[in-house]
Amino acid sequence: GGVGMPTGSYVAPKTVWLAAMKAKGLEISGTFARRGGIIQMDLSLTNKAMSVMTDFAIQFNRNSFGLSPAGPLQVLTPLSPNQTIDVSLPLSMSGPIMKMEPLNNLQVAVKNNIDVFYFSCQYPLSLLFVEDGKMERQVFLATWKDIPNDNEAQFQIKDIHLNSDVASNKLQGSNIFTIAKRTVEGQDMLYQSVKLTNGIWVLAEMRIQTGNPNHTLSIKCRAPEVSQFVFQCYELVLKS
Amino acid sequence: EMDDGLEEAFSRLAESRTNP
């Protein structure tokens, strides 16, 4: 964002989640945003049918982190043919939980006066990274030692031309916090923490070598199934 | 002093990760 824009986590561009040809003329594109702890689904609804659309409502299937609408879908006026409206749906994390495959999958039902339509979309796990995710240094050291090596996953983040301070600042904007930095043999080692809305802590070490655009990310977590999704967020944020 | 200990512990962690 530019000067004066509210800060928040990385927001992906909207993509088409429901194609008009599969939904009797209703096209839905969307993305997810976290701004100051408020989670939202940002939607664009387009009427590509010949008649007016009314009576919109939305429902989520149960999902891995209990994501659910915190209010109704506010489409206050009928949607005319060829009209698009943007709607922000506030979300809460207090819905029913069921582990999804992939973990960040969300199944959505949208209805209007014509029919009910279903689609799936995936949210970036960074939607769940809370603002108080900076772990105490002492706790980090103890936890890092305590989590078994089998729970460590390693990833390559390729083609990133940022030094460690810039990378660290960028990540902090998405609630990935740097706790310590050490330089060993020309490599900057960043120790970082992330806390998910459900209380899961993720610990990370990012190695940045001067002149090498490929960084090594090691992730330790007691729930190792989240690691690859945290890695995806690093890539998205650092490449944005 | 306690913080010095933490600083040192992070240095040891980084060293051990670079030269296991």
Side-chain angles (χ1 to χ4, degrees), chain B residues 2-4 7-8 10-13 15 17-20:
Chain B
M2 200 161 150
D3 202 48
D4 284 351
E7 295 295 334
E8 182 56 34
F10 271 108
S11 297
R12 278 201 305 273
L13 173 59
E15 289 277 354
R17 299 277 299 172
T18 314
N19 305 301

Side-chain angles (χ1 to χ4, degrees), chain A:
Chain A
V3 176
M5 290 288 283
T7 55
S9 302
Y10 166 76
V11 179
K14 281 179 186 165
T15 54
V16 175
W17 286 339
L18 183 68
M21 58 184 290
K22 286 186 173 174
K24 300 181 181 172
L26 174 63
E27 184 184 273
I28 299 179
S29 58
T31 188
F32 295 91
R34 183 184 184 98
R35 299 180 184 100
I38 310 286
I39 307 174
Q40 282 178 331
M41 187 187 230
D42 294 335
L43 298 166
S44 292
L45 310 179
T46 301
N47 182 352
K48 295 191 170 178
M50 309 279 271
S51 60
V52 166
M53 292 178 180
T54 58
D55 304 319
F56 286 91
I58 193 165
Q59 238 176 30
F60 294 177
N61 198 359
R62 51 187 65 209
N63 55 80
S64 306
F65 295 94
L67 212 57
S68 69
L73 186 64
Q74 300 268 9
V75 185
L76 300 175
T77 53
L79 191 61
S80 308
N82 290 319
Q83 190 188 355
T84 297
I85 55 151
D86 296 331
V87 194
S88 276
L89 180 71
L91 306 180
S92 82
M93 307 301 299
S94 56
I97 289 172
M98 181 175 70
K99 197 169 173 181
M100 298 298 288
E101 180 58 48
L103 202 65
N104 59 343
N105 198 46
L106 181 67
Q107 295 174 335
V108 180
V110 170
K111 77 162 271 284
N112 60 13
N113 59 313
I114 299 169
D115 208 343
V116 183
F117 310 103
Y118 301 90
F119 64 89
S120 285
C121 54
Q122 273 128 42
Y123 48 92
L125 217 65
S126 52
L127 200 62
L128 316 174
F129 296 176
V130 298
E131 285 63 28
D132 67 343
K134 190 165 187 174
M135 195 178 239
E136 292 281 344
R137 290 152 68 90
Q138 199 156 12
V139 177
F140 182 97
L141 288 162
T143 309
W144 184 273
K145 231 185 244 180
D146 206 40
I147 295 175
N149 288 339
D150 285 351
N151 282 26
E152 180 175 334
Q154 223 165 62
F155 306 92
Q156 294 295 316
I157 309 175
K158 293 191 175 138
D159 209 22
I160 303 290
H161 298 266
L162 304 172
N163 70 33
S164 58
D165 289 343
V166 174
S168 184
N169 279 334
K170 230 173 164 181
L171 291 166
Q172 184 163 327
S174 288
N175 297 333
I176 299 172
F177 298 97
T178 299
I179 291 167
K181 175 184 153 183
R182 289 293 178 276
T183 306
V184 181
E185 295 172 7
Q187 291 183 103
D188 283 345
M189 321 273 283
L190 300 180
Y191 292 96
Q192 300 172 321
S193 71
V194 167
K195 187 183 167 190
L196 306 187
T197 45
N198 63 358
I200 291 177
W201 283 95
V202 180
L203 282 62
E205 175 196 78
M206 189 163 70
R207 291 188 197 203
I208 299 179
Q209 207 167 12
T210 313
N212 184 347
N214 302 329
H215 305 343
T216 304
L217 181 69
S218 304
I219 296 182
K220 274 189 149 189
C221 181
R222 289 188 207 282
E225 65 269 30
V226 308
S227 299
Q228 70 173 105
F229 298 97
V230 174
F231 158 63
Q232 278 176 7
C233 296
Y234 270 79
E235 281 214 304
L236 286 171
V237 172
L238 292 174
K239 291 185 175 177
S240 68

